[in-house]
């Protein structure tokens, strides 16, 4: 149980369910776990990880925030301090991580650190979000801490900066960028897990949705609508042709976070799931069971998730994958239709006797 400085028990500021002994496996996205496994299998990652763990200036990082940011406490940003302790109480994180507010107009938050996690939020984020929206963000970062994500996030920050410094050396950053790309792929998936942790802490889906919407469009709620925002995610996934699918991948590669509309849609889907309801009813994996957790079960869960994603996805590329897996008879024609966003029909329109039309999207 989290305690205040005077030794009295701290409880959430309003009635919220608490999850004693909850394991991070309860809310971790299957793609998060599978991406992390793939990352660890990446050639050279273990060597880099072990080397950087001893070289990264973590003490210097902590001193930097201590000297040039505001540490959250009962005397400074006390409302954030209450949220932090509430979040740790709800997710049963025994040691409350230190939190700092850093002067930066860009809305952002992160959980970093090798030995012990620290949470940093920017002034831009504090000024953008209301109390319940901010509570979800604090819960998001506490979820990162509980899942042990801070270590990999710290290494990603360091390697990203290193890659920029050695970019002028021919082939000097090729190996580094391979690891950075893999780390980014994992981190994007880990954000989906942390969004779920934020919902478990805030227990207010609309606040989580509003917060993500504000990250995309700023503090203009009177000009925005959650349902319309979620429709953007559907349009993003299903719109266009195979060329757009490739462009989506290229747009995503340099990012550390998934696109906000996609995050909102993923979180809403999880909130409506049986898995979420079971957690809210008190049925979830416990931390003391982690040592007995089956790795093969995790792989099966991840494989089932990807299979379901391919089966239900409206993305043209995933549609093509389904057709290939299903043994589509006219694969050449299907590929042509997917690339150009339409079908072909007999007629007099073209030199080859076909007239390309704008058919339905794959």
């Amino acid at each position: 149980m989290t305690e205040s400085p005077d030794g009295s028990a701290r409880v959430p500021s309003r009635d919220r369910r608490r999850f004693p002994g909850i394991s991070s496996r309860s809310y971790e996205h299957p793609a998060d776990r599978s991406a992390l496994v793939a990352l660890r299998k990446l050639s050279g990652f273990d060597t880099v990880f072990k080397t950087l763990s001893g070289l990264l200036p973590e003490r210097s990082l902590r001193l930097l925030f201590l000297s040039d940011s505001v540490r959250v406490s009962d005397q400074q940003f006390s409302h954030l301090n209450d949220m932090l302790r509430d979040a740790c109480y709800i997710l049963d994180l025994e040691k409350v991580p230190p939190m700092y507010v850093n002067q930066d107009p860009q809305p952002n938050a992160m959980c970093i650190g090798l030995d012990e996690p620290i949470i940093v939020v920017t002034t831009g984020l504090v000024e953008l979000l209301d109390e319940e929206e901010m509570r979800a963000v604090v819960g998001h970062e506490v979820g990162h801490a509980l899942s042990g994500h801070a270590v990999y996030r710290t290494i990603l920050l360091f390697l990203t900066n290193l890659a920029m410094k050695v970019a002028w050396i021919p082939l000097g950053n090729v190996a580094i960028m391979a690891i950075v790309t893999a780390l980014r792929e994992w981190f994007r998936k880990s954000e989906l897990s942390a969004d779920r942790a934020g919902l478990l802490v805030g227990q207010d889906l609309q606040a989580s949705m509003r917060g993500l919407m504000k990250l995309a469009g700023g503090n203009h709620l009177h000009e925005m609508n959650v349902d319309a925002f979620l429709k953007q995610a559907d349009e993003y996934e299903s719109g266009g042709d195979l060329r757009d699918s490739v462009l989506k991948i290229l747009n995503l590669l340099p990012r550390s976070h998934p696109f906000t509309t996609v995050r909102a849609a993923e979180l809403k889907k999880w909130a409506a799931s049986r898995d979420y309801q079971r957690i809210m009813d008190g049925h979830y994996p416990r931390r003391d069971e982690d040592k007995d957790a089956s790795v093969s079960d995790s792989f099966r869960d991840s494989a089932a998730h990807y299979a379901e994603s391919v089966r239900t996805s409206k993305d043209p590329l995933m549609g093509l994958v389904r057709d290939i897996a299903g043994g589509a008879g006219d694969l050449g024609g299907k590929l042509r239709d997917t690339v150009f966003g339409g079908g072909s029909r007999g007629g007099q329109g073209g030199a080859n006797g076909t007239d390309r039309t704008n058919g339905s999207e794959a």
Side-chain angles (χ1 to χ4, degrees):
M1 178 181 293
T2 307
E3 295 186 350
S4 62
D6 62 5
S8 60
R10 291 291 306 182
V11 297
S13 57
R14 68 170 171 82
D15 186 25
R16 293 183 178 85
R17 291 179 178 86
R18 185 176 178 247
F19 309 104
I22 190 171
S23 168
S24 61
R25 291 182 291 120
S26 302
Y27 58 80
E28 284 172 344
H29 195 283
D32 174 7
R33 292 196 295 271
S34 59
L36 190 54
V37 169
L39 174 65
R40 288 168 175 162
K41 289 185 176 181
L42 184 67
S43 177
F45 177 75
D46 281 345
T47 302
V48 171
F49 180 80
K50 291 175 182 177
T51 301
L52 289 178
S53 294
L55 294 179
L56 283 178
E58 184 177 19
R59 292 177 65 87
S60 175
L61 195 64
R62 291 175 180 276
L63 287 171
L64 178 62
F65 286 116
L66 187 62
S67 63
D68 205 33
S69 300
V70 174
R71 184 164 61 189
V72 171
S73 66
D74 285 331
Q75 292 78 38
Q76 301 185 116
F77 291 101
S78 60
H79 71 294
L80 293 181
N81 200 40
D82 288 341
M83 290 181 196
L84 177 62
R85 290 190 294 207
D86 283 357
C88 292
Y89 178 79
I90 290 170
L91 293 181
D92 199 15
L93 186 64
E94 292 185 6
K95 188 168 184 179
V96 179
M99 177 189 280
Y100 294 90
V101 176
N102 184 45
Q103 170 60 32
D104 186 343
Q106 182 71 26
N108 197 14
M110 59 182 174
C111 180
I112 56 176
L114 296 177
D115 296 327
E116 295 181 357
I118 62 174
I119 296 173
V120 180
V121 297
T122 65
T123 52
L125 188 68
V126 174
E127 292 163 4
L128 177 66
L129 304 182
D130 68 24
E131 181 177 352
E132 294 306 311
E133 294 158 6
M134 192 70 198
R135 189 182 303 279
V137 170
V138 172
H140 174 113
E141 299 306 326
V142 170
H144 276 312
L146 183 59
S147 290
H149 291 162
V151 172
Y152 299 101
R153 172 63 164 166
T154 305
I155 291 177
L156 174 59
L157 286 172
F158 179 82
L159 287 178
T160 302
N161 291 333
L162 181 62
M164 293 176 62
K165 292 177 181 178
V166 301
W168 61 275
I169 303 175
L171 301 180
N173 68 335
V174 172
I176 294 174
M177 285 309 300
I179 294 176
V180 167
T181 299
L183 273 167
R184 281 178 178 154
E185 171 62 16
W186 160 75
F187 194 77
R188 285 191 293 268
K189 301 301 189 293
S190 77
E191 286 296 294
L192 301 179
S193 297
D195 283 344
R196 295 176 174 187
L199 179 58
L200 290 177
V201 167
Q203 298 173 24
D204 183 344
L205 179 60
Q206 288 303 309
S208 294
M209 293 290 106
R210 291 197 311 270
L212 289 168
M213 193 165 60
K214 282 184 176 181
L215 287 176
N219 193 14
H220 302 281
L221 276 180
H222 63 290
E223 297 286 356
M224 297 185 284
N225 178 276
V226 170
D227 292 334
F229 186 65
L230 289 170
K231 284 181 182 178
Q232 291 180 222
D234 186 65
E235 182 179 344
Y236 170 78
E237 182 185 3
S238 61
D241 51 34
L242 192 60
R243 293 166 295 184
D244 294 303
S245 298
V246 174
L247 289 174
K248 292 174 190 176
I249 295 171
L250 294 176
N251 285 340
L252 191 60
L253 283 176
R255 294 175 59 92
S256 62
H257 288 60
F259 295 115
T260 48
T261 57
V262 175
R263 289 173 64 184
E266 281 281 342
L267 186 59
K268 188 173 188 294
K269 186 190 306 180
W270 187 68
S273 72
R274 179 172 173 77
D275 289 340
Y276 174 72
Q277 190 56 55
R278 282 180 58 83
I279 295 174
M280 296 304 293
D281 289 341
H283 305 295
Y284 50 83
R286 311 282 167 149
R287 235 168 286 164
D288 55 13
E289 301 167 350
D290 283 350
K291 62 182 183 301
D292 301 319
S294 170
V295 175
S296 60
D297 286 347
S298 294
F299 277 120
R300 277 196 295 270
D301 290 344
S302 298
H305 163 74
Y306 279 112
E308 180 66 12
S309 296
V310 172
R311 188 183 69 80
T312 60
S313 176
K314 300 175 185 177
D315 184 89
L317 180 58
M318 291 299 101
L320 182 61
V321 170
R322 284 196 300 270
D323 289 333
I324 293 173
D330 182 17
L331 186 56
K334 185 65 178 178
L335 178 60
R336 178 191 62 243
D337 295 347
T338 306
V339 169
F340 292 107
S344 62
R345 62 183 180 182
Q348 306 298 321
N352 61 357
T354 62
D355 177 26
R356 184 170 297 125
T357 61
N358 292 322
S360 60
E361 295 170 345

